[in-house]
Each structure stands twice: as structure tokens, then as C-alpha cells.
Amino acid sequence: MDAVRVALLREVLAGTEWLGATRRFAGVLRGSVVAHGGGLLLVGTPEYEPWHLAAHLVDEAAWSGTPELAPTLVRHHARPSDPAHLSVGPGRIEEARRGETLLVVAPEEPAQLLERVHAARRAGVTVLALGAGGGELSAMAHDTLAVPEGAELDLDSVQHLVSAAAGENGGPPRTRRSFRDRLSRLAEILTAPPAAPW
């Protein structure tokens, strides 16, 4: 879904709770990864891989100047012969540690996934969940955006809204200045002539 379609979807959803809910959730996602300097893992279920969300977050990371938003897609059926960006298996969740964020997109909650998510949370990982809501995943997640079956929007549409909002939350792109740049700026301020009196 391109930016024009997202804008049209937002226009159609004006006045509903969806816009505020997706922006809030996107703000939590962005805040979590920016605060820790990155480390975003994105996982689905064996039957539902959120590869489309991964691609949109990579785009939003580039466009917003927030590289921390670019996720590592964790795939349940990853093979060593897959390209590097598609070869990360579920063992990566078990290796996750404090400071990393795990975004789980799950229309259902398989027991094996729940076990891994629970272990990651115990290790200090921030867990965010996007799915049906109301189950064990919601209970163990730090924040959840529920997309119940029969809702006005499907899970794919909500993912588009979340990724677009994650890229725009927080204002203009941040620029990181080097120590030399900051020192130079301080020297300019200190050596500048005093301001003329009015």
C-alpha cells in the first residue's frame, strides 16, 4: 500500500478510534526502539509472516531518518540458503536481551511462539503485540494493538497504518552531530562578540 492509499484509508477512518490507536501504538514502537538505539525484531506465526510490514518499516526508517525502525524479520521456516535478510530463524528471539524490542504480529497464538515470547520478556526484551487481542500474548506484552476478527479493518490494513505512523511520529529526522561539530559550535558561541544593546 503506497502513501496515497494510506492517506485515503486515513481519510475514510477519520472520526474512528483506529487512527488514534494506530498512531499511539506506532509511537510506543518508535519510542521503544529509538530509546535503546535499535534492536527491533519482527515475528509472526508459522502460518503468517509479516514480511510486508518488515518492508514498510525499512522504508519508513529510511524516509524518516530513524534507522532504528528497520526490523530484523524472524521467520519460522528460515533456511540457511535464504538471502541474509530472510534467513533469521526463531532462535534469534531466544538470544534477544534487554534493550531490544520484539514486535509480534499474530492473528493466532501458537504455543511455541508464546513460549519464546515469554522467555524474551523474562530476559528484559520489550514485547509489543499486534493481533486478535485478549489472549496470552496480550497479557505478556508491554503494549498491544488488538485487531479482533470482524473489526472494520483487517490485520494487513492496520499494519500499513502503524508503519506509516511510526515513520512520522517524532517530527523531523534527527541528525547526530559528531563531538567535533558540537565542540566547534560551542567555540563559536563562546568567542562570538556580545550582542549589541537595543
Side-chain angles (χ1 to χ4, degrees):
M1 188 178 291
D2 59 26
V4 172
R5 289 185 182 162
V6 169
L8 288 172
L9 181 57
R10 285 178 172 167
E11 192 174 309
V12 168
L13 294 171
T16 70
E17 295 178 9
W18 283 109
L19 292 183
T22 53
R23 283 195 167 115
R24 181 201 58 77
F25 187 79
V28 171
L29 170 62
R30 183 179 177 120
S32 176
V33 297
V34 169
H36 294 104
L40 175 59
L41 302 175
L42 175 61
V43 67
T45 67
E47 291 75 33
Y48 186 90
E49 290 187 338
W51 61 268
H52 207 100
L53 177 58
H56 283 292
L57 285 172
V58 167
D59 289 344
E60 293 297 337
W63 295 332
S64 69
T66 313
E68 300 92 344
L69 280 176
T72 297
L73 178 61
V74 177
R75 300 179 62 227
H76 293 272
H77 304 293
R79 297 175 308 232
S81 60
D82 290 336
H85 68 289
L86 297 175
S87 64
V88 178
R92 178 62 179 88
I93 297 171
E94 295 161 7
E95 297 168 3
R97 294 292 171 253
R98 183 173 308 283
E100 292 185 282
T101 301
L102 175 61
L103 175 55
V104 183
V105 181
E108 71 278 340
E109 301 181 356
Q112 192 173 26
L113 175 62
L114 291 174
E115 289 171 14
R116 286 190 166 106
V117 171
H118 183 66
R121 180 172 170 123
R122 278 195 329 258
V125 175
T126 300
V127 177
L128 305 177
L130 183 56
E136 288 182 54
L137 183 58
S138 294
M140 71 176 80
H142 292 90
D143 203 335
T144 302
L145 178 57
V147 186
E149 195 170 321
E152 300 89 5
L153 292 178
D154 63 1
L155 190 56
D156 289 335
S157 298
V158 171
Q159 290 176 69
H160 285 290
L161 292 171
V162 167
S163 63
E168 67 191 18
N169 279 338
R174 298 174 301 126
T175 57
R176 185 170 185 124
R177 296 182 0 216
S178 71
F179 176 73
R180 186 175 289 165
D181 291 337
R182 290 179 294 180
L183 189 60
S184 174
R185 177 73 181 128
L186 178 61
E188 287 174 18
I189 292 169
L190 293 174
T191 59
W198 288 79

